PDB file of all heavy atoms in Angstrom:
ATOM      1  N   ALA A  25      70.099  54.702  79.576  1.00  0.00           N
ATOM      2  CA  ALA A  25      71.300  55.307  78.899  1.00  0.00           C
ATOM      3  C   ALA A  25      70.885  55.996  77.639  1.00  0.00           C
ATOM      4  O   ALA A  25      71.678  56.641  76.943  1.00  0.00           O
ATOM      5  CB  ALA A  25      72.292  54.217  78.637  1.00  0.00           C
ATOM      6  N   ARG A  26      69.590  55.952  77.256  1.00  0.00           N
ATOM      7  CA  ARG A  26      69.167  56.617  75.937  1.00  0.00           C
ATOM      8  C   ARG A  26      69.240  58.067  76.061  1.00  0.00           C
ATOM      9  O   ARG A  26      68.815  58.654  77.101  1.00  0.00           O
ATOM     10  CB  ARG A  26      67.799  56.170  75.566  1.00  0.00           C
ATOM     11  CG  ARG A  26      67.662  54.717  75.252  1.00  0.00           C
ATOM     12  CD  ARG A  26      66.267  54.383  74.597  1.00  0.00           C
ATOM     13  NE  ARG A  26      66.166  52.968  74.453  1.00  0.00           N
ATOM     14  CZ  ARG A  26      66.862  52.151  73.558  1.00  0.00           C
ATOM     15  NH1 ARG A  26      67.539  52.794  72.661  1.00  0.00           N
ATOM     16  NH2 ARG A  26      66.657  50.883  73.528  1.00  0.00           N
ATOM     17  N   ARG A  27      69.721  58.753  75.034  1.00  0.00           N
ATOM     18  CA  ARG A  27      69.736  60.227  74.972  1.00  0.00           C
ATOM     19  C   ARG A  27      69.095  60.727  73.747  1.00  0.00           C
ATOM     20  O   ARG A  27      69.046  59.979  72.758  1.00  0.00           O
ATOM     21  CB  ARG A  27      71.245  60.715  74.975  1.00  0.00           C
ATOM     22  CG  ARG A  27      72.059  60.300  76.263  1.00  0.00           C
ATOM     23  CD  ARG A  27      71.563  61.131  77.432  1.00  0.00           C
ATOM     24  NE  ARG A  27      72.238  60.682  78.733  1.00  0.00           N
ATOM     25  CZ  ARG A  27      71.769  59.747  79.557  1.00  0.00           C
ATOM     26  NH1 ARG A  27      70.605  59.289  79.350  1.00  0.00           N
ATOM     27  NH2 ARG A  27      72.406  59.412  80.627  1.00  0.00           N
ATOM     28  N   VAL A  28      68.687  62.010  73.755  1.00  0.00           N
ATOM     29  CA  VAL A  28      68.085  62.555  72.637  1.00  0.00           C
ATOM     30  C   VAL A  28      68.993  62.614  71.488  1.00  0.00           C
ATOM     31  O   VAL A  28      70.188  63.000  71.558  1.00  0.00           O
ATOM     32  CB  VAL A  28      67.611  64.021  72.941  1.00  0.00           C
ATOM     33  CG1 VAL A  28      66.985  64.705  71.734  1.00  0.00           C
ATOM     34  CG2 VAL A  28      66.628  64.067  74.087  1.00  0.00           C
ATOM     35  N   SER A  29      68.514  62.202  70.294  1.00  0.00           N
ATOM     36  CA  SER A  29      69.326  62.345  69.092  1.00  0.00           C
ATOM     37  C   SER A  29      69.349  63.790  68.615  1.00  0.00           C
ATOM     38  O   SER A  29      68.317  64.419  68.483  1.00  0.00           O
ATOM     39  CB  SER A  29      68.691  61.478  67.932  1.00  0.00           C
ATOM     40  OG  SER A  29      68.798  62.078  66.706  1.00  0.00           O
ATOM     41  N   PRO A  30      70.567  64.420  68.545  1.00  0.00           N
ATOM     42  CA  PRO A  30      70.603  65.848  68.320  1.00  0.00           C
ATOM     43  C   PRO A  30      69.926  66.190  66.993  1.00  0.00           C
ATOM     44  O   PRO A  30      69.174  67.278  66.861  1.00  0.00           O
ATOM     45  CB  PRO A  30      72.079  66.206  68.283  1.00  0.00           C
ATOM     46  CG  PRO A  30      72.795  64.894  68.393  1.00  0.00           C
ATOM     47  CD  PRO A  30      71.866  63.834  68.719  1.00  0.00           C
ATOM     48  N   ILE A  31      70.055  65.312  65.960  1.00  0.00           N
ATOM     49  CA  ILE A  31      69.464  65.617  64.682  1.00  0.00           C
ATOM     50  C   ILE A  31      67.930  65.495  64.754  1.00  0.00           C
ATOM     51  O   ILE A  31      67.201  66.408  64.227  1.00  0.00           O
ATOM     52  CB  ILE A  31      69.929  64.591  63.625  1.00  0.00           C
ATOM     53  CG1 ILE A  31      71.488  64.749  63.417  1.00  0.00           C
ATOM     54  CG2 ILE A  31      69.208  64.657  62.336  1.00  0.00           C
ATOM     55  CD1 ILE A  31      71.867  65.873  62.558  1.00  0.00           C
ATOM     56  N   ARG A  32      67.416  64.612  65.466  1.00  0.00           N
ATOM     57  CA  ARG A  32      65.970  64.405  65.646  1.00  0.00           C
ATOM     58  C   ARG A  32      65.371  65.604  66.424  1.00  0.00           C
ATOM     59  O   ARG A  32      64.366  66.189  66.027  1.00  0.00           O
ATOM     60  CB  ARG A  32      65.662  63.091  66.470  1.00  0.00           C
ATOM     61  CG  ARG A  32      65.765  61.789  65.714  1.00  0.00           C
ATOM     62  CD  ARG A  32      64.517  61.427  65.074  1.00  0.00           C
ATOM     63  NE  ARG A  32      64.187  62.076  63.788  1.00  0.00           N
ATOM     64  CZ  ARG A  32      62.979  62.158  63.261  1.00  0.00           C
ATOM     65  NH1 ARG A  32      61.960  61.727  63.962  1.00  0.00           N
ATOM     66  NH2 ARG A  32      62.760  62.784  62.160  1.00  0.00           N
ATOM     67  N   ALA A  33      66.159  66.084  67.438  1.00  0.00           N
ATOM     68  CA  ALA A  33      65.657  67.228  68.160  1.00  0.00           C
ATOM     69  C   ALA A  33      65.559  68.449  67.281  1.00  0.00           C
ATOM     70  O   ALA A  33      64.580  69.195  67.337  1.00  0.00           O
ATOM     71  CB  ALA A  33      66.652  67.467  69.313  1.00  0.00           C
ATOM     72  N   LEU A  34      66.502  68.624  66.435  1.00  0.00           N
ATOM     73  CA  LEU A  34      66.471  69.749  65.451  1.00  0.00           C
ATOM     74  C   LEU A  34      65.297  69.614  64.526  1.00  0.00           C
ATOM     75  O   LEU A  34      64.580  70.604  64.270  1.00  0.00           O
ATOM     76  CB  LEU A  34      67.761  69.781  64.620  1.00  0.00           C
ATOM     77  CG  LEU A  34      68.831  70.708  65.142  1.00  0.00           C
ATOM     78  CD1 LEU A  34      70.048  70.611  64.045  1.00  0.00           C
ATOM     79  CD2 LEU A  34      68.410  72.147  65.237  1.00  0.00           C
ATOM     80  N   THR A  35      65.127  68.392  64.062  1.00  0.00           N
ATOM     81  CA  THR A  35      64.000  68.185  63.108  1.00  0.00           C
ATOM     82  C   THR A  35      62.661  68.566  63.721  1.00  0.00           C
ATOM     83  O   THR A  35      61.850  69.290  63.152  1.00  0.00           O
ATOM     84  CB  THR A  35      63.855  66.660  62.779  1.00  0.00           C
ATOM     85  OG1 THR A  35      65.169  66.224  62.305  1.00  0.00           O
ATOM     86  CG2 THR A  35      62.852  66.330  61.755  1.00  0.00           C
ATOM     87  N   GLU A  36      62.548  68.275  65.008  1.00  0.00           N
ATOM     88  CA  GLU A  36      61.245  68.603  65.745  1.00  0.00           C
ATOM     89  C   GLU A  36      61.093  70.062  65.979  1.00  0.00           C
ATOM     90  O   GLU A  36      60.100  70.628  65.809  1.00  0.00           O
ATOM     91  CB  GLU A  36      61.160  67.689  66.948  1.00  0.00           C
ATOM     92  CG  GLU A  36      61.039  66.255  66.496  1.00  0.00           C
ATOM     93  CD  GLU A  36      60.855  65.173  67.506  1.00  0.00           C
ATOM     94  OE1 GLU A  36      60.497  65.481  68.695  1.00  0.00           O
ATOM     95  OE2 GLU A  36      61.110  64.029  67.201  1.00  0.00           O
TER      96      GLU A  36
END
Side-chain angles (χ1 to χ4, degrees):
R26 293 191 189 284
R27 298 288 174 267
V28 177
S29 141
I31 296 282
R32 284 268 81 203
L34 264 183
T35 306
E36 294 179 21

